[in-house]
């Protein structure tokens, strides 16, 4: 039987500090949450998939209204932001109201931005329901919508009042969505914590079997790492960039695949392989660590067949958000498992060469 029921992680940001509460079964307690009692008007935003599965729990909560939108990245748009605002205006939310976000990163990003902008900012609470949102997007206060010209182009840094995480909800999550989160979990281990990396290796089968204790441990560890980083560098002026390890090449791949057919966590696994190889070629990291990272990705079943793509389009997609000076780009590269460094002199030839090396690896074809 699982024995570890709850953990708390504190995000220390002065007057914007908050707790991340991780507990199996929290979704069953929506009706009695103390946090909601502090507000006169409490409304919720969720997507129709989550509403369908958790209607009973959501309807039992004291929400004045539940705004439901369709699932999917397309709703991180101005049109849906306007819809959310319209509901907030119609129900006459005031500055002392609370918006509760129940969903994955899409609901969290869109709803967080709605909370940040309505009457110059009202309180909101995150109840993340995907592994990715539980270990990453619900923590740290990045809120946004997309613009036709780019992802997350419009947004604000705006912290929630609290985060409530129920690992049990991952049992209804499609397996590929779970793996999307696992890519981020490996990222946290490689950038910051070698013993966590070893734990992931040893516990892979329990994690993949969704054992509650292991889920609580990995969520708490990732949130602790993110809370530490955000506590030092809330607005990404420096250190916070390490959370982008693996994401430069991942974004290039997602872009050339037009965000279809490759889950984010798979793209991050691909990106970590490309970026670790660059570090290996530069003599920054030992080949044995590169092999260890590959072994963990395989053990956690982050394997997939990378669709074929044009290298020039991929490189230009990477350069769009990573351009530094002349022909060089900024990348986060590992020095060892548990430590990374930000370098701004990565050239296109080494990215192309490393990418070809990754594409030859059995994990990615
Ligand atoms: P998502 O929100 O689209 O959710 C994925 C799918 O899973 C959806 O179809 C949803 O309906 C479904 N779902 C969610 N929870 C479920 C559950 N418990 N059971 C069954 N189905 C469930 O995707 P995501 O991966 O959570 O988030 C991706 C978004 O997060 C992207 O827009 C990305 O830009 C953003 N993001 C933001 C940050 C940040 O710091 N703000 C960090 C990383 C990613
Ligand atoms: N997901 C990266 C960040 O929050 O900074």
């Amino acid at each position: 039987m699982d024995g570890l029921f709850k953990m708390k992680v504190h995000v220390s940001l002065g007057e914007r500090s908050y707790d991340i509460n991780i507990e199996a079964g929290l979704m069953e307690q929506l009706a009695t949450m103390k946090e909601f009692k502090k507000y006169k008007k409490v409304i919720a935003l969720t997507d129709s998939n989550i509403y369908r599965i958790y209607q009973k729990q959501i309807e039992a909560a004291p929400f004045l209204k539940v705004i439901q939108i369709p699932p999917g990245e397309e709703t991180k748009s101005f049109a849906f932001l306007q819809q959310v605002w319209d509901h907030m205006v119609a129900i006459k939310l005031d500055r002392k109201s609370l918006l509760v976000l129940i969903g994955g990163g899409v609901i969290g990003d869109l709803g967080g931005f709605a909370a940040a902008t309505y009457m110059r900012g009202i309180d909101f609470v995150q109840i993340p329901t995907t592994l990715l949102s539980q270990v990453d997007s619900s923590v740290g206060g990045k809120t946004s919508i997309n613009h036709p010209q780019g992802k997350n182009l419009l947004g604000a840094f705006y912290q929630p009042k609290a985060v409530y995480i129920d690992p049990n909800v991952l049992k209804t999550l499609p397996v590929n969505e779970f793996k999307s989160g696992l890519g981020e979990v490996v990222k946290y281990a490689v950038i910051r914590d070698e013993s966590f990396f070893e734990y992931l290796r040893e516990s892979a089968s329990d994690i993949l079997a969704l054992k509650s204790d292991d889920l609580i441990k990995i969520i708490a560890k990732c949130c602790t790492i993110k809370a530490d980083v955000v506590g030092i560098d809330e607005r990404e002026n420096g250190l916070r960039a390490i959370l982008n390890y693996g994401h430069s090449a991942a974004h290039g791949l997602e872009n050339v695949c037009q965000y279809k057919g490759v889950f984010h966590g798979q793209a991050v696994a691909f990106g970590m392989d490309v970026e670790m190889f660059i570090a290996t070629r530069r003599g920054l990291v030992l080949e044995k660590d590169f092999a260890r990272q590959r072994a963990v990705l395989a053990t956690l079943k982050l394997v997939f067949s990378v669709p074929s793509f044009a290298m020039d389009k991929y490189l230009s997609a990477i350069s769009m958000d990573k351009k530094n000076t002349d022909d060089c780009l900024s990348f986060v590269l590992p020095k060892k498992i548990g430590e990374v460094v930000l370098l701004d002199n990565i050239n296109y030839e080494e990215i192309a060469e490393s990418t070809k090396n990754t594409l030859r690896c059995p994990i990615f074809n």
Side-chain angles (χ1 to χ4, degrees):
M1 185 167 129
D2 293 333
L4 186 74
F5 293 115
K6 53 173 144 175
M7 290 184 86
K8 197 178 280 232
V9 175
H10 187 64
V11 185
S12 186
L13 286 167
E15 61 181 15
R16 294 182 310 291
S17 299
Y18 53 96
D19 284 333
I20 304 163
N21 306 280
I22 308 156
E23 182 176 347
L26 267 180
M27 196 70 161
E28 305 301 323
Q29 299 168 30
L30 285 186
T32 53
M33 275 209 181
K34 280 198 198 125
E35 186 85 30
F36 302 164
K37 298 203 169 110
K38 298 182 201 156
Y39 300 85
K40 272 205 192 120
K41 290 185 182 174
V42 185
I43 69 162
L45 173 69
T46 192
D47 77 34
S48 50
N49 281 342
I50 296 150
Y51 187 78
R52 201 184 58 248
I53 303 169
Y54 296 103
Q55 180 176 2
K56 184 171 71 66
Q57 294 86 336
I58 293 171
E59 290 299 338
F63 300 137
L64 216 49
K65 176 166 188 68
V66 178
I67 308 170
Q68 259 191 77
I69 59 171
E73 183 72 23
E74 299 71 33
T75 62
K76 254 176 72 172
S77 63
F78 182 72
F80 278 92
L81 177 63
Q82 167 103 44
Q83 273 192 25
V84 178
W85 281 334
D86 289 348
H87 284 294
M88 294 164 101
V89 172
I91 213 154
K92 296 190 172 62
L93 287 194
D94 58 24
R95 300 214 52 221
K96 292 187 177 132
S97 306
L98 178 73
L99 177 61
V100 179
L101 308 176
I102 309 172
V106 166
I107 291 293
D109 281 12
L110 170 73
F113 193 40
T117 45
Y118 185 78
M119 290 190 160
R120 301 191 185 90
I122 63 164
D123 288 356
F124 78 109
V125 162
Q126 293 264 22
I127 304 186
T129 59
T130 60
L131 182 61
L132 180 135
S133 56
Q134 295 185 344
V135 300
D136 190 354
S137 62
S138 66
V139 175
K142 279 189 180 174
T143 72
S144 65
I145 57 168
N146 302 325
H147 183 275
Q149 297 302 316
K151 216 167 129 52
N152 299 326
L153 271 189
L154 309 161
F157 285 99
Y158 193 65
Q159 301 293 342
K161 284 291 156 197
V163 182
Y164 291 93
I165 300 179
D166 181 353
N168 286 354
V169 300
L170 300 178
K171 292 181 178 138
T172 59
L173 191 64
V175 65
N176 278 329
E177 297 291 355
F178 182 74
K179 286 189 186 169
S180 254
L182 272 187
E184 300 289 353
V185 171
V186 175
K187 172 200 80 177
Y188 281 111
V190 176
I191 62 171
R192 212 67 173 166
D193 195 324
E194 184 169 18
S195 61
F196 181 43
F197 182 90
E198 281 306 305
Y199 169 77
L200 293 178
R201 190 178 62 76
E202 286 159 12
S203 313
S205 58
D206 289 341
I207 294 166
L208 292 172
L210 306 185
K211 287 223 171 135
S212 192
D213 278 8
D214 293 279
L215 293 177
I216 290 179
K217 270 187 214 155
I218 64 171
I219 294 164
K221 176 53 86 175
C222 295
C223 287
T224 303
I225 294 172
K226 184 148 188 187
D228 284 349
V229 170
V230 169
I232 295 167
D233 178 24
E234 184 183 7
R235 288 184 168 244
E236 200 166 321
N237 293 316
L239 180 70
R240 188 164 176 166
I242 69 169
L243 300 174
N244 297 329
Y245 171 54
H247 284 61
S248 301
H251 287 158
L253 180 66
E254 289 177 314
N255 190 295
V256 284
C257 296
Q258 296 181 316
Y259 295 90
K260 291 190 185 84
V262 178
F263 281 85
H264 183 64
Q266 294 174 324
V268 171
F270 166 88
M272 288 191 289
D273 197 82
V274 171
E275 295 176 20
M276 177 80 89
F277 189 70
I278 296 174
T280 313
R281 291 296 309 268
R282 285 181 167 228
L284 206 61
V285 73
L286 296 174
E287 296 218 1
K288 117 175 138 31
D289 285 342
F290 180 52
R292 286 169 75 199
Q293 179 180 273
R294 271 197 174 169
V296 159
L297 295 175
T299 310
L300 286 169
K301 310 249 185 297
L302 281 163
V303 297
F304 71 110
S305 180
V306 177
S308 57
F309 59 83
M311 187 62 83
D312 56 337
K313 290 203 175 120
Y314 160 84
L315 292 175
S316 107
I318 294 176
S319 79
M320 273 195 309
D321 59 345
K322 295 289 157 200
K323 198 159 202 119
N324 176 29
T325 46
D326 303 326
D327 284 334
C328 287
L329 305 174
S330 301
F331 269 45
V332 176
L333 296 184
K335 287 172 78 177
K336 63 186 188 71
I337 301 287
E339 190 181 341
V340 285
V341 62
L342 183 63
L343 292 186
D344 62 5
N345 60 355
I346 311 301
N347 64 58
Y348 291 96
E349 288 73 34
E350 57 189 331
I351 303 168
E353 196 189 324
S354 298
T355 301
K356 285 181 199 152
N357 178 68
T358 294
L359 292 172
R360 284 193 293 270
C361 170
I363 299 182
F364 300 105
N365 62 47

